[in-house]
Each structure stands twice: as structure tokens, then as C-alpha cells.
Amino acid sequence: EDLLDPERARARRMIAQSNEPDFVGRLGDIDFAAARTRLVIGRTVDDDPNRPCLRGDPKEKGGLMTSQDFLEEKARKEAEEAKQLADARLKDPKTRQEELARRAEEKAQKDKEAFSKDEEDRAARLEQKKRKMVAEEAEAFKRSKKGPAGAKKQARLSFDEDAEDESEDE
């Protein structure tokens, strides 16, 4: 309203600031001719189907986002800002050296953690293997005590020896 009719806007501000109860009476001396002519002219309607406001994806909801979309957009923006800040910091040679040292230290720490985890896993597998071998030996000892009647025949799984014996015969 200030841009369209500054005189009218100034008059309305003065009226609003005054504490007189006769607000409508004070409006009587204001000329509303400019506002009346704007109303008579009306609005121009643009029926062009290629208006910028009509182009785009019709499935979009006028800029409305779900909370999940908002969080994704927020995460993307924060990642971009963090990358820009990191790039800006790395332009300084001193900061770049500090960053490279920090990254090397982090990598060494991760390698150390991975190595200790591998050692723990290796020790656990070795212990499990030992327990399994002890259990198998105990089972074999029990079977051998039963004697030949309790012993099971075991099939020979290696055929390499037979192939070697046949090649020697020829």
C-alpha cells in the first residue's frame, strides 16, 4: 500500500496512531479516487499455458515437503556447506598441512583398531579350532576303547594314491 498510494498509507498510519474514537469520521476527508480507479480497471489475467508458474512437475505440491524430504534436503545442504568450508580451509597451506596430519593420524588409529580386531578374531578362531580338535581326539579315544566291534569303517577319500599306484604298475 505504501508503494501504490503513499499519501493514503501515511494518512492510515496517522489515524492508527491517534487514540480518537471517531476513526470513520477521520476517514471522511481522504480521497479514495485512486483506489476506486484501480478497482474499476481490474486485474489482467494471463491465460498463457506456458507461464512459468504452470510449468514443471504437476505432482509437486506447490513447494510443500514431507518431513522426510525436508530432512534429506537439510542433510544435503549441510553436507554441501561442510564441503565448501573444508575446501575453503584447505586453501590455506598451514591448515592443509594440519588437515593432512590429522587424516594420517585418524588412518593410523583406524588401522590399529582393525589390526587388534583381526588379532582377536584370529585368536578366537584358533581357540575354537583347538577345542574342536580336543573334542575329536576325545571321541576317537572313546571309539578306540570300544574295540574293533565298535569301530566304524571309514571310507578312504583320497584317490591320489591309487592313481600313483596305477602309474607305477605300467
Side-chain angles (χ1 to χ4, degrees):
E1 188 176 350
D2 287 337
L3 295 175
L4 295 175
D5 195 359
E7 184 178 303
R8 180 174 171 217
R10 193 172 25 258
R12 290 186 86 190
R13 274 196 300 275
M14 286 176 42
I15 292 169
Q17 287 174 356
S18 71
N19 293 332
E20 292 185 25
D22 187 20
F23 176 75
V24 177
R26 295 205 48 201
L27 286 177
D29 59 341
I30 298 175
D31 183 23
F32 291 103
R36 204 173 294 115
T37 55
R38 280 196 310 272
L39 287 173
V40 170
I41 292 171
R43 293 184 180 169
T44 57
V45 178
D46 189 8
D47 292 329
D48 181 20
N50 291 321
R51 293 192 307 255
C53 65
L54 295 179
R55 278 182 269 156
D57 187 11
K59 295 178 185 171
E60 282 188 22
K61 298 176 183 172
L64 296 177
M65 292 185 186
T66 63
S67 60
Q68 182 180 4
D69 292 340
F70 175 76
L71 292 175
E72 290 172 0
E73 183 74 17
K74 182 180 175 186
R76 186 186 58 77
K77 285 181 181 178
E78 288 175 353
E80 286 177 6
E81 288 176 8
K83 187 175 186 293
Q84 288 174 353
L85 286 174
D87 290 344
R89 278 192 343 205
L90 291 179
K91 287 182 181 176
D92 181 29
K94 181 181 177 185
T95 310
R96 185 182 312 126
Q97 290 297 327
E98 291 173 357
E99 183 69 20
L100 291 174
R102 185 185 64 78
R103 287 180 183 173
E105 184 178 321
E106 284 179 2
K107 188 175 189 278
Q109 182 67 23
K110 285 181 182 179
D111 289 346
K112 187 186 286 185
E113 290 173 3
F115 182 74
S116 65
K117 184 180 178 189
D118 286 345
E119 282 294 318
E120 290 172 4
D121 291 346
R122 191 175 297 125
R125 285 193 308 268
L126 183 63
E127 187 65 32
Q128 186 179 10
K129 208 177 220 182
K130 284 181 184 177
R131 278 190 247 125
K132 185 178 178 182
M133 287 177 66
V134 168
E136 286 176 357
E137 287 178 9
E139 178 118 0
F141 183 72
K142 286 180 185 177
R143 272 191 263 137
S144 67
K145 281 196 166 194
K146 288 183 181 177
K152 293 182 182 176
K153 287 188 176 180
Q154 292 188 356
R156 209 169 68 187
L157 297 177
S158 175
F159 296 104
D160 293 337
E161 293 174 8
D162 294 339
E164 289 175 8
D165 291 341
E166 289 177 10
S167 64
E168 289 175 4
D169 291 339
E170 294 174 2

